[in-house]
Amino acid sequence: MKNQARVVVIGGGVVGCSVLYHLTKLGWTDIMLIERSELTSGSTWHAAGGFHTLNADTNLAALQGYTIKLYRELEKITGQSCGLHHVGGVTIATTPDRLDYLKAERAKHRYMGLETEIVGPEEIKKLSPITNVDGVLGALYDPLDGHLDPSGTTHAYAKAARMAGAEIVLRNRVIETNPRADGTWDVVTEMGTVHAEHVVNAGGLWAREVGEMAGIMLPLHPMEHQYLVTGDIPEVYERDEELPHVMDPAGETYLRQEGRGLVIGIYEQDCDPWAVDGTPWDFGHELLNDNLERIAEPLDAAFKRYPVLERAGIKTIINGPFTFAPDGNPLVGPIPGLRNYWSACAVMAGFSQGGGVGLTLAEWMVEGEPGRDVYAMDVARFGDYCTRPYTRMKVKENYQRRFSISYPNEELPVGRPLQTTPAYGLWKAQRAVFGSGYGLEHVNYFAPEGEPLFETPTFRRSNAFDAIAAECRAVREAVGINEIHNFGKYLVSGPGAVDWLNRIMANRVPKIGKIALTPMLSPKGKIIGDFTMSRLAEEEVQLTASYSAQAFHMRWFLHHLPQDGSVTLQNVSLLRIGFQIAGPNARELLSRVTDSDVSNAAMPFLSCTPVEIGPIPALVNRVTYTGDLGYEIYVDAVHQCALYEALSAAGDDLGLKPFGMRAMMSLRLEKSFGSWMREFRPEFTCAETGLDRFISFKKNDFIGHAVAVRERDNPPARHLATFIVDAGDGPDAADCVADEPIYKDGKVVGFVTSGGYAHYSQKSVAIGMIPKEMIEDGAQFEIEILGEVKQATLIEEVLFDPKAERMRG
């Protein structure tokens, strides 16, 4: 074993071997993989080996498609068989909601280039004669689905990496990972120490323990998972072709052919987290004790769905652990706060996602950023709120929901409330219906008396529709109040603060007392943040951005922070909170609670002003996401309730009403305002989204400058546009959410980034990405919503206050 390498990958499962192979593919060959036992000695060896493209996130679905297509390439390179069986897959629906969900997924696939289709019961029976279609309404058929040999595939990755020069060291446990002052690492193993520039944690079942060696807690946990292998079944082995995979979400089961019999796997409600106190180092090729009682109910449902099982004997029971993150997606990328330490963990669907994970991480390490938007599996999507108990609770919830429908308006209950602000009790007393993001409770809407304190999950307009409409009217016609804790907030100070911000932000830091909106770009010009910069003093700036992106943004900040101590950075997201007030009466309300001059001359649009509200020191930002006259009022958290009391008492006769995030998102649609991870995400550039209007091109040294200039001079082919959609009326009407295909003359030309109902304008609105040459006011398009094609009209003038007279006046 050599004692120095550019990269050490820890873990020899399918993911670790994929990372190793992809690093060699991108030109890094001074690399090695260290495995405590043999290759596949974790979850890989006992995996069922299925693969599929279906994923709620389109970018992950595309990476899964890449993974599946990669296997033929690996076989060609190495001569090693992956044992591929492209048999196709059928996901059945037994309820209208499930069919809606599958139709929505099929619609996404149209612009992704995936050849899936919705099939009826008769077609299902032809594809899989052993499936009982009683009660089945339809299914999604994907011809790319299949299964493979887990061991052969892992060894194919490993062989391809070895052929390119990588080293693999087996039977050698890593004992310590120790950082050096220069950002490199000493990886201490049973055979000696390796000095590495980079470390990749692909530890699988041992990822928690490997992470602890570096002082980090990764939000993942292993779960027990059982599947059964049957004996020979005539209806299976007498066929001329192999049966397709069948997934029965209602029955919590998946099924595929295995030789002359079947494999039946179960994601049961009565599930068990495994190794709560840590994974034993000597665990490897063992299985866990069988627990058929735990799966008795779903097994009974499987016998009804596949009657041949009643006549089949059980040959093998596999009960083994797999690791999951709280939302079921992998944990990939650089660990916030550590230099040159990378995660490739919690990849529970290793044979669907392993290739994409390996490619993503290799691109990130070699080229500085991934080739596509992978926020949905970025390890930085979680923060410190993910304690071990919280992670375990959410992992169990996710396991139980493995086959559940994911509704766009659904709020999951487990582990809540976890974090709240002082105003939480105030909102609760007013019948708030809460959502949760990044561990923090926020108000979605306020339920009227007599209505349930719960929003029904649906793909269509929910029971909250009328309540949200009333909140929107209150803002537009009087004045609304909304909490502003749902922003990530950062104080940047010191003699180097302004120069540093001018380097990492695309816009110029404004003058003292002013506000500037700015994108933050990657070196390839991709949007990695949209910020508000408030210049508080000569050497102090407040930044605000999406609350859920705190770890993502802090990782970037810390990576670029000067090492000379000239810049101090504080995350004050929960320390500096307050409220926004918005609507035609907002200025009058503010004037009643402060002696400061709040006129437009004294406090113009895009200004930041320190004021006193009674005895409370506050910062007032003249900016609003509602698109109306509005103010953001920031105070220390200890003063939040006192601030509310002052505003509430002064606003009673002005029509002051609280509003939640559902109303906020409706109001922003009327202004065509983009939203983080919808219109503004690492997949897009500023010139594609309109954020280029907030770039200071006079600066020539901000990160991403070269791409921004190139796109200014040579505009990209696509751009965001806003549409009014003929979505219909009534409780069965459905509005756009995201990822619906946009058609022009019968051809898919783009996709929706976000949408919903603009209550005050009483229009169904969609924002989407289409070819730039098609953007023309009044142009006609079609958008597919839940399998139905709806007419859509492009608008170039926003629905509310098109001249921004209310917002700026």
Side-chain angles (χ1 to χ4, degrees):
M1 181 183 76
K2 59 187 178 184
N3 59 15
Q4 191 153 338
R6 190 170 196 175
V7 181
V8 168
V9 178
I10 303 173
V14 64
V15 175
C17 291
S18 173
V19 171
L20 198 72
Y21 162 68
H22 282 93
L23 284 171
T24 65
K25 190 174 182 180
L26 294 185
W28 284 15
T29 55
D30 178 20
I31 59 178
M32 63 191 302
L33 181 149
I34 302 176
E35 161 58 40
R36 50 170 282 283
S37 182
E38 307 291 340
L39 296 182
T40 78
S41 297
S43 296
T44 299
W45 76 270
H46 61 73
F51 55 79
H52 56 87
T53 57
L54 186 63
N55 191 292
D57 184 272
T58 55
N59 285 295
L60 293 198
L63 285 172
Q64 289 176 196
Y66 164 81
T67 300
I68 294 167
K69 294 172 183 176
L70 176 65
Y71 293 134
R72 294 295 185 196
E73 177 184 325
L74 285 174
E75 289 183 328
K76 186 176 180 180
I77 292 170
T78 65
Q80 167 80 46
S81 173
C82 293
L84 290 175
H85 297 257
H86 278 286
V87 297
V90 178
T91 303
I92 63 178
T94 55
T95 66
D97 271 11
R98 174 69 64 178
L99 194 57
D100 278 349
Y101 172 70
L102 295 179
K103 287 177 179 177
E105 292 303 305
R106 169 65 186 104
K108 294 177 188 178
H109 296 164
R110 291 190 194 279
Y111 73 80
M112 293 171 62
L114 297 174
E115 299 300 324
T116 60
E117 59 180 309
I118 299 294
V119 296
E122 291 184 5
E123 293 167 282
I124 296 168
K125 197 69 179 175
K126 290 178 183 177
L127 290 165
S128 178
I130 67 169
T131 301
N132 175 9
V133 295
D134 289 350
V136 175
L137 303 180
L140 180 73
Y141 174 65
D142 185 348
L144 276 181
D145 278 15
H147 59 275
L148 46 64
D149 170 24
S151 178
T153 301
T154 304
H155 282 276
Y157 277 121
K159 185 175 180 180
R162 278 193 182 110
M163 290 169 65
E167 180 180 357
I168 295 177
V169 181
L170 304 178
R171 298 173 291 282
N172 182 29
R173 182 162 72 88
V174 171
I175 301 170
E176 298 176 15
T177 55
N178 301 318
R180 291 189 181 185
D182 64 355
T184 62
W185 292 81
D186 287 326
V187 181
V188 182
T189 78
E190 293 171 328
M191 295 183 183
T193 299
V194 182
H195 178 220
E197 183 180 343
H198 299 271
V199 171
V200 177
N201 182 346
L205 291 175
W206 295 269
R208 293 175 297 171
E209 287 70 28
V210 172
E212 287 171 355
M213 296 176 191
I216 59 172
M217 200 289 286
L218 288 166
L220 57 85
H221 197 89
M223 295 289 296
E224 293 188 23
H225 177 63
Q226 287 188 112
Y227 66 88
L228 316 177
V229 182
T230 74
D232 294 356
I233 302 174
E235 290 90 339
V236 173
Y237 65 73
E238 290 177 355
R239 284 174 52 83
D240 293 332
E241 58 185 1
E242 193 171 352
L243 287 164
H245 291 194
V246 181
M247 282 168 279
D248 179 17
E252 301 171 344
T253 62
Y254 61 88
L255 175 141
R256 70 165 176 84
Q257 185 171 335
E258 174 71 10
R260 293 162 61 91
L262 296 169
V263 163
I264 177 79
I266 297 170
Y267 282 91
E268 69 280 13
Q269 297 300 301
D270 182 18
C271 56
D272 294 318
W274 181 74
V276 171
D277 297 323
T279 304
W281 285 109
D282 58 356
F283 184 83
H285 279 273
E286 303 92 336
L287 290 173
L288 308 178
N289 293 331
D290 303 340
N291 192 341
L292 292 180
E293 289 184 8
R294 194 175 65 202
I295 61 173
E297 187 174 338
L299 203 55
D300 182 60
F303 285 174
K304 293 182 175 66
R305 182 61 64 204
Y306 317 106
V308 295
L309 292 174
E310 295 179 351
R311 303 186 297 277
I314 297 175
K315 184 167 66 174
T316 309
I317 302 172
I318 306 292
N319 186 21
F322 292 87
T323 55
F324 295 76
D327 61 2
N329 282 340
L331 300 172
V332 180
I335 297 292
L338 288 184
R339 295 168 65 189
N340 298 332
Y341 191 99
W342 306 79
S343 174
C345 306
V347 190
M348 59 78 48
F351 295 99
S352 295
Q353 298 174 334
V357 167
L359 173 67
T360 296
L361 198 67
E363 288 176 334
W364 218 327
M365 296 175 74
V366 175
E367 300 172 2
E369 60 186 283
R372 64 172 62 241
D373 171 18
V374 293
Y375 189 84
M377 66 178 182
D378 192 331
V379 66
R381 71 187 183 275
F382 296 112
D384 293 342
Y385 65 91
C386 280
T387 61
R388 286 200 184 281
Y390 177 85
T391 296
R392 188 165 61 250
M393 294 165 67
K394 297 302 286 187
V395 163
K396 182 175 180 180
E397 178 187 52
N398 178 267
Y399 183 96
Q400 291 171 323
R401 291 178 48 80
R402 181 68 181 163
F403 283 141
S404 295
I405 300 170
S406 296
Y407 293 97
N409 68 327
E410 189 168 23
E411 297 286 351
L412 302 181
V414 170
R416 295 177 52 201
L418 179 66
Q419 293 179 337
T420 62
T421 64
Y424 179 76
L426 299 172
W427 299 138
K428 198 169 184 180
Q430 297 179 69
R431 298 183 55 78
V433 178
F434 292 95
S436 177
Y438 203 72
L440 180 66
E441 296 294 308
H442 58 255
V443 178
N444 277 342
Y445 70 99
F446 293 86
E449 290 290 340
E451 294 291 323
L453 291 169
F454 176 75
E455 184 178 11
T456 304
T458 179
F459 292 103
R460 301 170 191 275
R461 293 173 186 169
S462 78
N463 60 306
F465 189 82
D466 292 339
I468 296 167
E471 293 173 22
C472 291
R473 286 194 300 273
V475 173
R476 292 286 188 243
E477 297 173 1
V479 58
I481 184 169
N482 172 271
E483 198 170 357
I484 51 171
H485 62 311
N486 231 9
F487 295 137
K489 293 172 284 290
Y490 315 89
L491 284 181
V492 183
S493 59
V498 171
D499 287 343
W500 179 64
L501 287 172
N502 277 330
R503 167 69 179 150
I504 68 168
M505 299 295 178
N507 204 352
R508 188 174 296 279
V509 175
K511 296 178 180 179
I512 296 172
K514 299 296 183 182
I515 291 172
L517 308 180
T518 180
M520 186 167 71
L521 307 181
S522 75
K524 294 182 180 179
K526 301 296 185 180
I527 299 167
I528 56 174
D530 61 307
F531 286 82
T532 299
M533 294 190 291
S534 304
R535 182 79 174 272
L536 308 183
E538 184 66 32
E539 296 182 355
E540 186 175 24
V541 180
Q542 175 178 292
L543 304 176
T544 58
S546 170
Y547 186 83
S548 65
Q550 285 177 69
F552 179 80
H553 286 148
M554 283 296 291
R555 179 178 64 194
W556 187 259
F557 293 157
L558 293 172
H559 181 70
H560 292 89
L561 202 66
Q563 299 299 304
D564 60 5
S566 63
V567 178
T568 299
L569 173 68
Q570 294 175 272
N571 183 343
V572 295
S573 296
L574 287 180
L575 301 177
R576 180 170 287 199
I577 52 181
F579 303 95
Q580 68 162 318
I581 54 174
N585 293 342
R587 179 176 287 120
E588 173 62 22
L589 173 57
L590 183 59
S591 73
R592 293 183 180 186
V593 297
T594 181
D595 293 330
S596 297
D597 185 355
V598 301
S599 67
N600 199 40
M603 202 176 285
F605 186 63
L606 294 182
S607 65
C608 56
T609 310
V611 304
E612 292 177 348
I613 296 177
I616 307 167
L619 173 71
V620 175
N621 277 7
R622 176 76 194 283
V623 66
T624 175
Y625 195 47
T626 67
D628 218 308
L629 171 65
Y631 306 85
E632 294 173 356
I633 308 172
Y634 293 94
V635 297
D636 288 345
V638 293
H639 294 142
Q640 188 189 27
C641 289
L643 174 63
Y644 179 80
E645 294 299 335
L647 292 168
S648 180
D652 188 52
D653 64 333
L654 296 175
L656 179 66
K657 300 290 183 186
F659 67 101
M661 293 305 298
R662 296 276 192 261
M664 173 85 88
M665 298 307 284
S666 173
L667 295 167
R668 66 102 184 173
L669 288 173
E670 296 179 333
K671 296 289 290 183
S672 298
F673 286 167
S675 177
W676 172 248
M677 289 314 299
R678 294 176 174 90
E679 286 69 44
F680 308 141
R681 57 195 190 198
E683 183 179 348
F684 302 144
T685 65
C686 289
E688 292 174 327
T689 60
L691 281 182
D692 51 347
R693 68 188 184 276
F694 300 121
I695 292 179
S696 175
F697 285 101
K698 292 181 180 179
K699 298 194 304 177
N700 60 10
D701 62 346
F702 64 84
I703 297 171
H705 174 266
V707 177
V709 169
R710 185 168 67 244
E711 292 205 336
R712 178 197 63 186
D713 298 338
N714 301 280
R718 62 182 185 175
H719 201 277
L720 288 176
T722 302
F723 304 85
I724 301 301
V725 185
D726 184 11
D729 297 309
D732 289 333
D735 303 297
C736 289
V737 177
D739 298 318
E740 293 87 355
I742 301 172
Y743 297 85
K744 181 71 172 177
D745 300 326
K747 295 181 180 179
V748 175
V749 296
F751 56 94
V752 171
T753 52
S754 70
Y757 194 76
H759 285 276
Y760 192 69
S761 300
Q762 298 184 344
K763 303 286 186 183
S764 185
V765 176
I767 302 175
M769 192 68 77
I770 61 171
K772 194 165 187 173
E773 70 269 13
M774 293 184 178
I775 297 177
E776 180 182 355
D777 193 50
Q780 295 299 301
F781 294 81
E782 301 83 36
I783 298 178
E784 183 179 348
I785 305 176
L786 303 180
E788 296 185 21
V789 175
K790 304 290 186 179
Q791 290 298 122
T793 302
L794 190 149
I795 59 170
E796 292 195 281
E797 185 175 86
V798 299
L799 290 171
F800 176 77
D801 191 24
K803 295 182 180 179
E805 294 169 334
R806 278 263 287 263
M807 186 171 70
R808 295 176 178 271

